[in-house]
Amino acid sequence: MFAYVIRRLILIVPTIFGIMVVNFLIVQSAPGGPVEQMIARIKGTAAEATARVSGDRQDVVRTPGRKGEISAGAEVTTKYRGARGLDPEFIKEIERQFGFDKPAHVRFFKMIRNYAVFDFGESYFRDQSVVSLVLHKMPVSISLGLWTTFLVYLISIPLGIAKAVRDGSRLDVWSSSLVVMGNAIPGFLFAILLIVLFAGGRYFDWFPLRGLMSENWADLSWPARILDYFWHIALPVLSMVIGGFAGLTMLSKNSFLEEINKQYVITARSKGLTERRVLYGHVFRNAMLIVIAGFPAAFIGALFTGSLLTEIIFSLDGLGLLGFEAALNRDYPVMFGTLYFFTLLGLLLNLVGDLTYHLVDPRITFESREV
């Protein structure tokens, strides 16, 4: 097992490198980079900073002289959208500030070298380091991700087992209706419904709409702080749980049904073992393997992608919103810093998932497995 863990840890390096290469190439080919963003802010046209230029057309200013001759300064000035009329030296200074005076491959390998020692640089537009931004916004996303994943597993696994044991019963039919509703209603639509019903939208004003704590949180006692925290996080987490529990419930049910119908279960029953002993002593260990395998993806999804719209709707300043704004503003250090962080976290959680396989069933060792 130790050798397998070492191989997996070594494999993380080329995996992250490949992911960063692909995303760097995609981002570099997208129009409206940081230089264009800064020019748009200076000229007061930031709303059009991410507008796509049709075709490959670039404006070129021709200067007096030989026919067709282009001055170096004019070329620098007009290769960026909206830069016409600005001093070429000023544009060059912006390029030096963002590192765009160097070729793309030089910028990429410098970025990778810094990321290897967890130096993520400074945000282009926030005047803060990427690390401080991530650390500042991480508690919000961690809270959403942990509570959502915990509640999804707490609800889905017992419900999936009950549906499998009572397959075709009234409980199975009625709970399947809830599962269908959970699959059919996107989490963000359910979030809006919760706001309309319980957050002052139309009916009741029982829950707050902004943040994870009240303005007077520092003045509250610790029991009151805990209650205030759960009061603020109740609706966001509930909206995310609805979107996550349906799939895991059906996965748990199908996994247990498959194991219940296997020969070793029939043999265990024929030996006189109780149904509870058969279910939790034999079936549970094998059926839970596929459920455990989905934990890393479930947590990462709840932590980042699943919380994006939830953070926007409930005005929660977390990592999902940070990454979304960085993509819109072409804030490359924040974009690639969060990408690197979540990629590394996802790969490590996948390894944790494999190790959990071994804890659930010690017969699984991965020693002979090719990575």
Side-chain angles (χ1 to χ4, degrees), residues 59-63 69-71 74-75 78 84:
D59 295 327
V60 177
V61 176
R62 298 185 183 275
T63 57
E69 183 178 356
I70 304 174
S71 68
E75 183 181 3
T78 57
R84 187 191 298 273

Side-chain angles (χ1 to χ4, degrees), residues 33-322:
V35 177
E36 287 91 337
Q37 291 285 326
M38 181 59 71
I39 292 171
R41 293 186 179 206
I42 293 171
K43 301 190 73 172
T45 59
E48 299 178 359
T50 57
R52 191 176 186 86
V53 182
S54 60
D56 296 323
R57 178 179 173 274
Q58 292 182 348
D59 295 327
V60 177
V61 176
R62 298 185 183 275
T63 57
R66 289 186 301 173
K67 185 177 181 179
E69 183 178 356
I70 304 174
S71 68
E75 183 181 3
V76 172
T77 303
T78 57
K79 71 179 181 179
Y80 298 110
R81 181 180 177 87
R84 187 191 298 273
L86 294 179
D87 185 1
E89 291 301 322
F90 179 70
I91 302 298
K92 289 182 179 180
E93 181 60 33
I94 295 177
E95 288 181 330
R96 283 192 293 270
Q97 178 184 347
F98 292 146
F100 278 75
D101 57 329
K102 301 179 179 62
H105 68 279
V106 175
R107 288 186 279 116
F108 174 76
F109 283 106
K110 180 182 178 181
M111 179 184 71
I112 292 297
R113 186 167 58 252
N114 292 336
Y115 283 12
V117 293
F118 295 95
D119 178 10
F120 300 107
E122 302 282 331
S123 168
Y124 285 160
F125 304 110
R126 291 176 178 262
D127 195 27
Q128 284 183 269
S129 68
V130 175
V131 172
S132 66
L133 281 171
V134 171
L135 292 178
H136 176 69
K137 298 176 185 298
M138 187 182 295
V140 174
S141 296
I142 290 291
S143 295
L144 292 175
L146 285 178
W147 283 113
T148 299
T149 306
F150 172 74
L151 290 177
V152 164
Y153 272 75
L154 184 66
I155 296 171
S156 299
I157 293 178
L159 182 58
I161 294 174
K163 286 172 65 65
V165 173
R166 298 171 177 83
D167 186 35
S169 66
R170 183 173 298 179
L171 170 66
D172 184 35
V173 173
W174 283 105
S175 59
S176 294
S177 302
L178 296 177
V179 170
V180 170
M181 290 177 59
N183 275 321
I185 303 176
F188 72 92
L189 286 182
F190 193 74
I192 296 173
L193 177 63
L194 291 176
I195 290 175
V196 171
L197 293 177
F198 303 114
R202 175 169 295 183
Y203 298 99
F204 305 102
D205 191 7
W206 292 346
F207 294 92
L209 276 175
R210 299 181 61 87
L212 289 184
M213 60 186 67
S214 301
E215 294 182 358
N216 63 336
W217 188 83
D219 300 326
L220 300 175
S221 63
W222 275 109
R225 289 182 182 182
I226 295 174
L227 290 176
D228 182 77
Y229 166 76
F230 284 110
W231 181 48
H232 280 76
I233 206 173
L235 294 187
V237 169
L238 180 59
S239 67
M240 295 175 64
V241 168
I242 291 297
F245 94 98
L248 186 60
T249 297
M250 294 308 300
L251 178 65
S252 301
K253 175 189 175 181
N254 294 333
S255 178
F256 273 84
L257 274 179
E258 182 180 356
E259 293 297 323
I260 287 173
N261 294 322
K262 287 186 176 179
Q263 183 62 42
Y264 75 90
V265 175
I266 299 174
T267 303
R269 286 171 175 166
S270 66
K271 291 181 178 180
L273 296 180
T274 63
E275 193 67 24
R276 186 179 184 85
R277 178 69 181 277
V278 171
L279 182 62
Y280 293 102
H282 297 274
V283 175
F284 185 82
R285 176 185 296 178
N286 296 325
M288 282 297 295
L289 291 176
I290 191 171
V291 177
I292 291 171
F295 174 79
F299 179 71
I300 290 295
L303 182 65
F304 184 67
T305 56
S307 65
L308 172 58
L309 291 175
T310 303
E311 290 178 7
I312 295 174
I313 292 171
F314 289 98
S315 300
L316 301 175
D317 194 12
L319 290 175
L321 186 59
L322 173 67

